[in-house]
Amino acid sequence: MKVFLLYDEDGPDRRSAGSALAAWAEKGGHEFGSACAEGLGPCLGCFGCWLKTPGRCVVSRDGWEALIKSFVRADLVVLAGEIPYGSFAPTIKAALDRWLPTLLPYFRRFRGEMHHVPRYEKRPRILSVALGEALAAEEETHLELMRSFCDNAASPRQKRFFRFRGDGAALEAWLEEEAAS
Amino acid sequence: MRILLVNGSPRRAAANSRIVLDSLKSRLGEGHEYRMVEAMSRDAEAGDLECDFIVLAFPLYIDCLHSRLLSWLLSYEALLARARASGGARRRIGLIAVANNGFHEGVQNETALRIVANFCARAGIEWRGGLGVGTGEMLKELKGAPSRMLIKRPVSLALDAIASRVGEEPSPSGNLYVQHAFPWLLFKLVAHAGWRRQARANGLGPRELRARPFASR
């Protein structure tokens, strides 16, 4: 299995979470890679990735192409960052906004709602690891957001909110729990 | 009242969110002082704090807010906290939000509106509730149509309801969800035809539209 970690910015807790995830991947014989979302520009909202250069962002010189390849080819994508207001960190959100080309513009009914048709057959499981502090309402919102995002990505839904507090064993237990569900 | 209109769409002046803001402004009428902010262009500035009410409109972007709008909210919260700490900002600011999405169901905006409500709780802003509009692309198509037109009427009524929450008096803070009175299947077929037409204008056929440039080899 290919495991890909996308984190919001550099910092000791990010490195600690990365090390714990890499250790879990190594133990399971998985291939592991990671990237920082900093430096990616925002989505322009131009729909060029659907209508001009299908599957490719029209702006690709800022590291987007390497990131999207990692995303598309992974079996498990782990997002790690702060969750302001229950959302994603702005750097991670910029990367996710530009994940749009992995979908087709076409619609279908999926899990009872209208969603886009995935561009690729292979779709990774996507999990979010929260870092920093948040209010209970924000944690609840974030899990709801992850469920909506997983529906949009046609991936299995994340089941439980998880905050990384430096405990690698807790991270491993949660990953196993999610993978088994 | 001093009303700050915040456009949270990267499409800026061409956005459906701008249509929403213009229609809310016309409902609120004259007698207010309006200022438009493009949240995509910059972070919040001191002048943005000089308001009694914020009217925020944005498109649903991968299930929540566009990254730049999120940054704008974070910068607004920080500025407001600093200004209040020095006694230099209004204590009471209200906010309504209208999210629109390109899917059919207005309720798909629910989580995005919860994120805005969480921002209000953090920033000490009065959350007066939100409106989630589905079939958002139809806002542009029906811009000039009368409000009472059958297809447009549910959205027009919901905009009336959310606009009525702008004011000094306390108002309900629950969310409203709506879409144009247009059947699900027909909406899908019309949208698909529109995508194909736009692709054709760029010299792309249906097969090219489904390209998979990064498929695993």
Side-chain angles (χ1 to χ4, degrees), chain A residues 125 159 173-181:
Chain A
R125 180 184 285 268
K159 300 294 181 296
W174 171 70
L175 287 166
E176 296 292 349
E177 179 189 320
E178 291 285 346
S181 64

Side-chain angles (χ1 to χ4, degrees), chain B residues 136-154:
Chain B
E137 284 300 312
M138 293 181 74
L139 288 164
K140 196 173 295 156
E141 305 300 330
L142 299 173
K143 188 180 168 187
S147 298
R148 63 183 181 282
M149 180 192 185
L150 191 65
I151 297 174
K152 195 176 176 177
R153 195 173 146 80

Side-chain angles (χ1 to χ4, degrees), chain A residues 35-118:
Chain A
C36 179
E38 275 184 317
L40 272 184
C43 173
L44 304 176
C46 67
F47 291 147
C49 61
W50 280 344
L51 302 170
K52 288 182 180 167
T53 54
R56 292 178 184 273
C57 180
V58 297
V59 181
S60 57
R61 291 180 191 162
D62 59 356
W64 174 85
E65 189 162 323
L67 180 70
I68 209 74
K69 274 182 189 165
S70 302
F71 222 109
V72 164
R73 293 173 185 176
D75 300 286
L76 170 65
V77 172
V78 180
L79 309 169
E82 301 214 356
I83 55 162
Y85 317 130
S87 181
F88 298 103
T91 54
I92 288 187
K93 188 64 199 354
L96 296 183
D97 288 343
R98 292 174 68 192
W99 161 92
L100 192 71
T102 70
L103 302 174
L104 294 172
Y106 302 125
F107 295 130
R108 63 170 181 165
R109 194 182 291 278
F110 184 69
R111 294 178 188 155
E113 289 181 329
M114 182 172 276
H115 286 286
H116 290 290
V117 177

Side-chain angles (χ1 to χ4, degrees), chain B residues 49 79-89 91:
Chain B
L49 304 182
L79 262 185
L80 188 58
R82 276 203 297 279
R84 280 178 173 162
S86 61
R91 307 306 291 181

Side-chain angles (χ1 to χ4, degrees), chain A residues 92-164:
Chain A
I92 288 187
K93 188 64 199 354
L96 296 183
D97 288 343
R98 292 174 68 192
W99 161 92
L100 192 71
T102 70
L103 302 174
L104 294 172
Y106 302 125
F107 295 130
R108 63 170 181 165
R109 194 182 291 278
F110 184 69
R111 294 178 188 155
E113 289 181 329
M114 182 172 276
H115 286 286
H116 290 290
V117 177
R119 183 176 296 276
Y120 297 95
E121 277 171 27
K122 182 181 174 185
R123 293 184 290 279
R125 180 184 285 268
I126 307 164
L127 297 172
S128 175
V129 173
L131 299 168
E133 292 306 317
L135 303 172
E138 293 168 338
E139 293 186 354
E140 199 180 304
T141 302
H142 190 69
L143 185 59
E144 279 302 313
L145 173 59
M146 274 307 294
R147 287 177 174 165
S148 301
F149 180 48
C150 291
D151 287 356
N152 225 339
S155 300
R157 285 180 172 177
Q158 178 170 333
K159 300 294 181 296
R160 187 161 69 81
F161 177 85
F162 180 76
R163 177 177 303 287
F164 181 71

